[in-house]
Amino acid sequence: QVQLVESGGGLVQPGGSLRLSCQASILRVSINTINWYRQAPGKQRELVATITKDGSTDYAASVQGRFTISRHPPINTVYLQMNSLKTEDTATYYCHAPRVDVWGRGTQVTVSS
């Protein structure tokens, strides 16, 4: 019943930027912890960024300084702004609401020249 939908993925050249969106169907979900994960084929799923109920944020070392997670409560949306993208950022990106263990369907990010 609770739904998360990602959007904003696509093909971008190294050094470029993308902004991913995670739209929640229930307002309460958006004000609790939301995670962004990514997974490349044949690799382990990786936690990329987290924003908590109180607005605290945390990032994987691999994206620190390049990615920014934020929220927009009026439309139940969490964003992942990705700058200075690298080839190794290529993956399917998923948003996750751990309180209710709900996952989005994913959005593909491909960084290639």
Side-chain angles (χ1 to χ4, degrees):
Q1 292 182 354
V2 178
Q3 296 180 338
L4 300 175
V5 179
E6 304 95 335
S7 62
L11 174 64
V12 64
Q13 294 184 347
S17 298
L18 286 173
R19 187 177 72 170
L20 305 184
S21 298
C22 175
Q23 177 73 35
S25 63
I26 300 177
L27 178 62
R28 193 171 185 178
V29 174
S30 71
I31 62 176
N32 290 305
T33 297
I34 295 291
N35 301 316
W36 280 101
Y37 284 86
R38 68 185 181 187
Q39 187 167 24
K43 295 187 177 181
Q44 186 174 331
R45 183 180 61 186
E46 176 188 18
L47 178 62
V48 174
T50 297
I51 186 163
T52 64
K53 183 179 180 179
D54 64 1
S56 297
T57 59
D58 200 6
Y59 301 92
S62 58
V63 306
Q64 183 74 42
R66 299 188 298 118
F67 290 10
T68 303
I69 188 171
S70 61
R71 67 170 79 240
H72 189 179
I75 56 172
N76 304 343
T77 302
V78 172
Y79 299 105
L80 184 68
Q81 177 67 44
M82 307 186 297
N83 299 324
S84 302
L85 283 162
K86 304 175 180 179
T87 301
E88 50 264 44
D89 295 318
T90 296
T92 301
Y93 285 71
Y94 301 89
C95 61
H96 174 238
R99 179 176 169 271
V100 291
D101 194 24
V102 170
W103 295 81
R105 59 190 176 186
T107 186
Q108 178 66 37
V109 172
T110 301
V111 185
S112 177
S113 60

